[in-house]
Amino acid sequence: MPRRRLSERQTARIQRIQERRRSKVEARAALAASDDDTARDGLVVVRHGANLIVEDRQGRDHHCVSRQHIGHPVCGDRVVWQPCGPKAGVITALHPRDTLLSRPDASGAEKPLAANIDLLIIVVAPQPAPTGFLIDQYLVAAERIGVSALILCNKMDLLVDDAARTAFLDAFQHYAAIGYPLLPLSLKQDPSLAPLRQRFAGHAGILVGQSGVGKSSLIKALLPDLEVRVGALSGATGLGRHTTSAATSYRLASGGRLIDSPGVRSFRLGALERAQLEQGFPEFRPFIGQCRFSNCRHDQEPDCAIRAASTAGSIAPIRLRAFHQLAKTVTRDSSGTH
Ligand code: GDP
Ligand code: ZN
């Protein structure tokens, strides 16, 4: 068999892969080296500036600071920490993150908000009725972060008969068809929120949605001791009530965690490239790259695979409209023209 000559690019690629493997092993060794008698795993449940609260495996809180040069731990980060004094400690290493939720700060730079979230719950209600394409926007964000999403239809009690309930839920069926479950609920009629608690089990989730749909009421019902917990955290950090503005990870008695803060609740999708927006619509993916023009906007162009899929029923027309609307509002113009 003739020996295959590797191109420079292939050789460089192989070297890169090896480097990555080595650095992984080194990282693991570094974590193991810090694993002395006192090092232990923990979860950052709140961060306020340089002050962090780390929850240990037994569910106890410790006021920690972070060693320099290990990165910036945020709420939801899994860390290695060492106790130093009662209820106090130092974070010595950061475990790799599965997901990261961030939001743009005043200057437009992405600021990490919370790590390792794996469930985005989009709350909607008959009143106030869903507006614009906010749900689609949240779903694109979920796809970007790599978390699963579900649509919680709250205040179902406001719909007086079966016909009204069916009509309301029908408006969301095209989301269910592409894999985003619908969860009809009424906090008023079922304050135990058992179906929602079940969804949380084993997950770290956040609630988002437009103002007035019931997010704070749902969170209060999920965490009846919320104020007590916030008070305890404020006391532990010595930061007073400011801590309430920081993203906080709450353990649910029924299993799972709820991450919440005013910033998390008002989380919005940041600016994207058009190609990233396309990837945010999972039902588009089989057709991406199949249009006649590589820069197709899926609008008026001939031989557009996305529009053809919409006509054929594989893509809901309303999702294509959502795509066009979001393309106008959230895409960065990478060509540099406006
Ligand atoms: P947020 O802005 O999303 O945090 O919404 P709020 O939690 O402040 O709720 C807005 C209003 O909706 C409040 O008056 C709540 O009492 C009410 N609300 C919340 N859940 C339900 C529900 O299941 N049924 C009805 N009828 N009202 C609800
Ligand atoms: Zn197209």
Side-chain angles (χ1 to χ4, degrees):
M1 211 166 92
R3 259 185 69 195
R4 201 159 62 96
R5 282 198 55 199
L6 297 178
S7 72
E8 271 180 41
R9 266 181 62 191
Q10 283 170 317
T11 316
R13 196 174 143 258
I14 291 166
Q15 272 173 359
R16 273 203 310 278
I17 292 171
Q18 294 201 41
E19 265 162 37
R20 225 179 294 143
R21 286 197 189 130
R22 270 195 298 271
S23 62
K24 259 192 200 159
V25 172
E26 274 163 19
R28 231 177 279 145
L31 269 181
S34 68
D35 188 25
D36 58 33
D37 283 353
T38 58
R40 52 202 72 185
D41 277 329
L43 176 78
V44 175
V45 291
V46 61
R47 174 189 139 204
H48 194 273
N51 295 280
L52 298 118
I53 305 286
V54 171
E55 190 180 292
D56 66 19
R57 290 224 166 124
Q58 288 71 41
R60 292 173 307 215
D61 290 340
H62 304 265
H63 181 189
C64 290
V65 290
S66 179
R67 199 167 274 172
Q68 275 183 333
H69 312 305
I70 63 158
H72 296 283
V74 295
C75 170
D77 262 321
R78 294 182 284 258
V79 295
V80 177
W81 68 284
Q82 292 180 347
C84 57
K87 293 200 154 199
V90 177
I91 295 172
T92 56
L94 210 60
H95 286 292
R97 292 166 175 156
D98 292 332
T99 65
L100 185 63
L101 181 77
S102 47
R103 57 179 292 140
D105 66 8
S107 69
E110 290 285 313
K111 263 195 89 174
L113 203 60
N116 300 318
I117 281 164
D118 63 0
L119 180 64
L120 186 83
I121 298 173
I122 304 166
V123 186
V124 295
Q127 278 295 333
T131 52
F133 292 101
L134 191 58
I135 297 174
D136 306 271
Q137 217 176 118
Y138 282 125
L139 292 175
V140 171
E143 296 294 332
R144 291 274 301 143
I145 305 164
V147 301
S148 43
L150 73 87
I151 300 169
L152 192 169
C153 305
N154 189 33
K155 306 198 196 181
M156 289 301 285
D157 57 281
L158 294 180
L159 301 165
V160 286
D161 55 36
D162 279 348
R165 280 190 283 275
T166 308
F168 182 67
L169 293 176
D170 273 353
F172 303 102
Q173 280 311 330
H174 62 285
Y175 295 116
I178 51 173
Y180 301 116
L182 302 180
L183 182 64
L185 262 187
S186 162
L187 174 62
K188 210 168 179 185
Q189 288 172 336
D190 178 14
S192 80
L193 297 177
L196 179 58
R197 288 179 187 281
Q198 270 167 24
R199 299 285 181 152
F200 265 103
H203 294 287
I206 63 172
L207 261 59
V208 296
Q210 74 191 73
S211 179
V213 291
K215 297 180 297 297
S216 7
S217 316
L218 289 163
I219 289 165
K220 264 193 210 138
L222 286 170
L223 301 163
D225 60 349
L226 180 69
E227 265 113 33
V228 177
R229 179 77 203 260
V230 167
L233 287 174
S234 310
T237 54
L239 288 165
R241 280 182 298 120
H242 295 302
T243 324
T244 53
S245 65
T248 305
S249 172
Y250 301 97
R251 187 197 286 262
L252 297 176
S254 44
R257 290 188 164 269
L258 169 74
I259 289 86
D260 189 49
S261 73
V264 166
R265 267 183 234 179
S266 59
F267 162 76
R268 289 281 195 279
L269 180 66
L272 297 178
E273 303 290 339
R274 176 174 280 271
Q276 293 172 321
L277 181 66
E278 283 175 356
Q279 289 296 332
F281 285 71
E283 74 275 39
F284 285 21
R285 287 179 201 154
F287 310 102
I288 292 172
Q290 316 231 335
C291 303
R292 187 201 289 187
F293 300 109
S294 62
N295 61 351
C296 183
R297 292 176 173 259
H298 322 308
D299 191 8
Q300 302 291 328
E301 295 87 344
D303 296 332
C304 169
I306 301 279
R307 267 193 306 131
S310 172
T311 310
S314 307
I315 292 176
I318 192 164
R319 286 278 285 172
L320 186 51
R321 282 209 295 283
F323 172 80
H324 284 135
Q325 184 58 33
L326 293 183
K328 274 190 224 150
T329 53
V330 303
T331 51
R332 271 192 293 258
D333 195 340
S334 48
S335 68
T337 52
H338 292 278

